[in-house]
């Protein structure tokens, strides 16, 4: 029986171009428009921050290295230990690392323009987001501290231009991170600990820390493919409920009852039909997005699992709205659902604006809403997270589905009622 | 075959059906007449198990069907007043869908659909979407769906509303043929008295939720056996002539369908003289006068004070 209901429902969809436009064409057009319009905000390209950094180096690092190497060679150490220390000097010179490995790295070169200067006037300083100064004798004092102890470690100077707050803040973060790394290495070295071994041991003890940058970045088109698809899935529930109410208003439902179809089976048919339609819809939308916008999924099984669960939730919404409209004997419930409830849950769920940008309570509430759970789960799965990482969202979707089905079961029309 | 005992349906503020009783023998065509709001549709819904009665019972072959509606649903076909079809499916797809939900097996259904399409005369349009059909064709398919599972009893709720005379005749002939050839019992409601007169063996007349008359056509007509109907056609109907007629003694009922007047008077009374005098006094030219025995329409008017289509 349910198979025939699904077949009928799909035929009705195929023959109603307006519904097809709403469910397939409209979301796809919105994905394209919103995605391209907002690519610059949420895009995968690194934003052009245009940071200008002045680098004043008063230290002669080559001369300092030569002096330190000469002192090491005079120490009472084995030849092997001496060679290891000399190699360490060449490879662990903080000024060299800062210049060559940090500031000259491909990532930072895109956003930081470094000017090496001898000095700057007050007026010239305003043109820069930050000024780095390596004081004279920095390298020598640094290695003195590392290998021979005694003195305080020297300091690099960083001046931030407060008028460029974003650029200044990013410059400060880069140097803070660099400084922490150097301090860690220096301290370990001065205590006679092998820093690399220590780091490996710490990593194995506390588990692998996954940097965010290793996960796939989602483009604006990708984000809106998720946002719009999830929102328009709910319109399937509205459309199916409209069809269901039409069946009641023109007495097809009476005919179905007279064929001895139990009411729960009828509603199960609506549930499964909505499930199938929304599952087809989401796959067509993501299929088109993959073909045209290159929106892809790292793990298809994860994507399909989530899509199945979301489609089931759409089915649960469809039967609930249908049951309410049957109970009220009015299409008003469907209209309210389609024109008020769906836009509301889509907005809270982040279909229009990424909720992370809004933050706070809003972001927290969003996770527990039907669309919010769907959008954030799809987002994470698209980034490459596993199903375990989105277990909270999956549980939310499952709980909502079960609750909706239970409510429907309670309020569904009963046999012989004059509904 | 079917009996209805003291059937009552009370809604919040209104008693739609007030303890009605009736029966149907196998193979009969029974008419259920009544103006809008008489309680016909509620009665039909209760018989077909879609609405539970407040009190009373519906029995199929002496067995109550209120607690076990499956029994009546198996043998019952309902043709609702509305076109209860999917407009965006073809005729065949509609028949297939309703056939399958009636659990008719695939091969049997194929044969049955062919038979039904022949009966309702839509074989050549089976692949067309229902929304492209004329009103008459939709009505025929509406009947066809009710015939799919070969019901023994069919309830037809105004199956000819809003269609052309040809389609109407086709439907009437189809009902007659089904009744004669397959002994299908039919409960037929209509606003068209001539349909009921043509089809029905017995008639129940309902008004304000009650059965106010019942019996064969002749039995019902005999309610007015002591009366006769004068059908008077005038050239121009004047108000003073009508007022004068209403003031005449012995006139039981006047219905006006300008320029024709139907007057029910006792058989024994000769009132023609007085009518002609009144016409002379009011300068009304009478074109023709006919004396008729009462029709069902006259009986209905007499009993309810309303035309059937009011």
């Amino acid at each position: 029986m349910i198979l025939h209901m699904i077949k009928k429902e799909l035929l009705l969809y195929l023959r109603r171009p307006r519904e097809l436009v709403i469910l397939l064409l409209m979301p796809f057009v919105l994905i394209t428009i919103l995605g391209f319009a907002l690519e610059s905000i949420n895009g995968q390209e690194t934003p052009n921050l245009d940071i200008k950094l002045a680098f004043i180096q008063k230290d002669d690092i080559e001369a300092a290295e030569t002096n330190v190497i000469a002192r090491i060679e005079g120490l009472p150490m084995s030849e092997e230990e001496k060679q290891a220390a000399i190699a360490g000097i060449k490879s662990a010179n903080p000024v060299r690392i800062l210049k060559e490995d940090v500031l000259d790295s491909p990532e930072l070169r895109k956003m930081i323009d470094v000017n090496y200067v001898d000095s700057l006037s007050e007026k010239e300083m305003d043109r820069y987001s930050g000024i780095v100064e390596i004081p004279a004798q920095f390298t020598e004092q640094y290695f003195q501290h590392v290998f021979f102890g005694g003195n305080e470690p020297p300091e690099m100077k960083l001046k931030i231009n407060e008028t460029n707050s974003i650029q200044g803040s990013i410059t400060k973060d880069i140097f803070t991170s660099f400084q922490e790394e150097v301090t860690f290495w220096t301290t370990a070295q001065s205590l006679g600990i092998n820093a690399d071994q220590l780091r490996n041991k710490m990593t194995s003890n506390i588990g692998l820390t996954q940097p965010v940058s290793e996960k796939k970045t989602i483009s604006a088109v990708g984000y809106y493919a998720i946002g719009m698809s999830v929102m328009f899935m709910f319109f399937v529930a509205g459309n199916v409920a409209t069809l269901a109410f039409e069946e009641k208003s023109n007495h097809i439902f009476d005919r179905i009852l007279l064929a001895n179809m139990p009411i729960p089976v009828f509603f199960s048919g609506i549930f499964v039909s909505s499930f199938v339609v929304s599952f087809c819809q989401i796959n067509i939308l993501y299929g088109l997005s993959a073909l045209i916008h290159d929106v892809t999924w790292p793990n298809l099984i994860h994507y399909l699992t989530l899509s199945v669960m979301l489609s089931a939730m759409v089915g649960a919404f469809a039967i609930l709205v249908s049951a309410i409209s049957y109970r009220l004997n009015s299409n008003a419930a469907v209209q309210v659902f389609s024109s008020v409830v769906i836009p509301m849950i889509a907005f809270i769920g982040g279909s229009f604006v990424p909720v992370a940008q809004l933050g706070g309570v809003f972001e927290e509430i969003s996770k527990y809403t039907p669309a919010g759970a769907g959008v954030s789960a799809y987002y994470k799965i698209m980034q490459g997270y596993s199903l375990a990482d989105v277990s909270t969202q999956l549980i939310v979707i499952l709980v909502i589905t079960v609750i909706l089905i239970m409510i429907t079961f309670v309020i569904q029309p009963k046999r012989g009622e004059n509904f | 075959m079917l009996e209805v005992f003291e059937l009552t349906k009370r809604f919040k503020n209104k008693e739609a059906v007030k303890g009605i009783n009736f029966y149907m023998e196998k193979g009969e065509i029974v008419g259920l007449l009544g103006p809008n709001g008489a309680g016909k549709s509620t009665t039909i819904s209760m018989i077909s198990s879609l609405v539970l009665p407040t009190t009373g019972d519906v029995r199929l072959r002496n067995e109550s069907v209120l607690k076990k509606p499956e029994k009546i649903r198996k043998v019952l076909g309902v043709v609702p007043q509305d076109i209860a079809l999917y407009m965006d499916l073809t005729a065949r797809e509609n028949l297939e869908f309703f056939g399958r939900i009636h659990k008719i097996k695939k091969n049997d259904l194929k044969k049955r659909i062919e038979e039904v399409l022949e009966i309702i005369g839509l074989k050549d349009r089976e692949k067309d979407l229902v929304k492209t059909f004329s009103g008459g064709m939709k009505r025929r398919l509406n009947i066809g769906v009710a015939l799919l599972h070969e019901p023994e009893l069919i309830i037809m709720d105004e199956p000819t509303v809003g269609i052309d005379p040809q389609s109407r005749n086709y439907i009437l002939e189809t009902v007659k043929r089904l009744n004669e050839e397959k002994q299908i019992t039919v409960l037929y409601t209509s606003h068209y008295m001539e349909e009921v007169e043509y089809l029905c063996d017995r008639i129940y007349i309902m008004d304000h939720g009650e059965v106010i008359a019942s019996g064969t056509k002749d039995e019902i007509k005999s309610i007015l056996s002591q009366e006769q109907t004068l059908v008077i056609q005038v050239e121009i109907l004047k108000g003073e002539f009508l007022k004068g007629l209403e003031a005449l003694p012995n006139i039981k009922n006047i219905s006006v369908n300008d320029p024709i007047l139907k007057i029910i008077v006792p058989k024994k009374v000769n009132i023609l003289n007085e009518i002609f005098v009144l016409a002379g006094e009011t300068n009304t030219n009478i074109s023709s006068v006919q004396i008729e025995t009462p029709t069902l329409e006259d009986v209905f008017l007499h009993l309810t004070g309303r035309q059937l289509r009011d």
Side-chain angles (χ1 to χ4, degrees), chain A residues 30-45 217-228 293 295 351-352 354 357 379 382:
Chain A
L30 284 172
I31 289 165
T32 308
I33 293 171
L34 288 172
F36 284 126
L38 302 172
E39 185 73 58
S40 58
I41 296 170
N42 294 327
Q44 56 193 359
E45 294 299 320
T217 312
I218 307 298
S219 66
V221 175
Y223 185 83
Y224 283 105
I226 293 170
M228 290 298 112
H293 298 310
V295 173
S351 285
F352 301 109
Q357 287 182 4
Y379 191 83
M382 194 180 265

Side-chain angles (χ1 to χ4, degrees), chain A residues 101-405:
Chain A
D101 296 342
V102 178
L103 296 176
D104 204 30
S105 68
E107 293 81 17
L108 288 190
R109 255 196 319 209
K110 282 182 192 169
M111 57 174 155
I112 301 179
D113 179 20
V114 184
N115 282 357
Y116 295 94
V117 293
D118 295 329
S119 63
L120 287 172
S121 66
E122 285 288 325
K123 201 175 175 184
E124 285 172 324
M125 283 180 184
D126 288 342
R127 285 167 33 205
Y128 294 96
S129 313
I131 300 158
V132 182
E133 189 184 323
I134 312 293
Q137 306 295 316
F138 175 88
T139 303
E140 204 161 340
Q141 286 173 15
Y142 172 76
F143 285 120
Q144 170 71 33
H145 173 75
V146 171
F147 292 111
F148 309 107
N151 63 332
E152 284 296 309
E155 285 181 353
M156 292 179 183
K157 291 176 185 168
L158 177 67
K159 284 182 189 169
I160 298 297
N161 186 342
E162 300 294 341
T163 55
N164 299 326
S165 59
I166 296 175
Q167 287 89 340
S169 160
I170 290 171
T171 310
K172 194 175 175 184
D173 286 347
I174 292 168
F175 275 85
T176 305
S177 170
F178 172 72
Q179 202 168 18
E180 283 169 358
E181 189 71 12
V182 171
T183 306
F184 171 78
W185 193 87
T186 308
T187 310
Q189 210 57 23
S190 61
L191 293 170
I193 300 165
N194 183 319
D196 292 335
Q197 281 180 4
L198 177 66
R199 194 183 294 283
N200 289 340
K201 196 164 174 58
M202 282 167 71
T203 306
S204 65
N205 283 345
I206 63 173
L208 184 68
T209 307
Q210 183 74 64
V212 173
S213 59
E214 281 187 24
K215 291 292 175 190
K216 188 179 158 189
T217 312
I218 307 298
S219 66
V221 175
Y223 185 83
Y224 283 105
I226 293 170
M228 290 298 112
S229 304
V230 170
M231 178 170 82
F232 278 86
M233 280 179 96
F234 289 99
F235 281 110
V236 171
N239 280 349
V240 171
T242 301
L243 286 177
F245 188 73
E246 275 178 28
E247 287 175 326
K248 173 167 170 45
S249 59
N250 60 21
H251 298 275
I252 290 175
F253 179 63
D254 288 347
R255 276 209 149 133
I256 290 171
L257 290 183
L258 289 171
N260 265 330
M261 181 186 276
I263 293 171
V265 174
F266 174 75
F267 277 90
S268 303
I270 296 176
F271 176 86
V272 179
S273 305
S274 315
F275 171 86
V276 171
V277 172
S278 75
F279 189 70
C280 291
Q281 177 207 30
I282 200 100
N283 285 308
I284 291 170
L285 281 177
Y286 285 135
L288 285 173
S289 299
L291 284 174
I292 297 168
H293 298 310
D294 199 28
V295 173
T296 54
W297 299 89
N299 188 318
L300 269 183
I301 302 292
H302 295 169
Y303 155 75
L304 287 172
T305 306
L306 175 60
S307 298
V308 164
M309 291 185 70
L310 271 177
S311 300
M313 183 170 70
V314 169
F317 268 104
I319 55 171
L320 177 69
V321 178
S322 303
I324 294 171
S325 68
Y326 271 56
R327 177 60 61 184
L328 298 177
N329 202 10
S330 158
N331 200 32
V334 184
Q335 285 168 349
V336 169
F337 177 73
S338 296
S339 54
V340 179
V341 178
I342 294 179
M344 204 168 72
I345 58 177
F347 179 73
I348 297 170
S351 285
F352 301 109
V353 182
V355 284
Q357 287 182 4
L358 303 171
V361 180
F362 195 81
E363 188 179 358
E364 200 55 35
I365 292 171
S366 176
K367 283 182 200 166
Y368 300 99
T369 62
V375 169
S376 69
Y378 268 133
Y379 191 83
K380 284 195 158 189
I381 285 175
M382 194 180 265
Q383 280 188 302
Y385 286 93
S386 68
L387 284 179
D389 294 321
V390 293
S391 57
T392 307
Q393 288 92 330
L394 296 181
I395 290 168
V396 168
I397 292 166
L398 190 67
V399 168
I400 291 172
T401 306
V402 171
I403 290 173
L404 296 181
I405 291 171

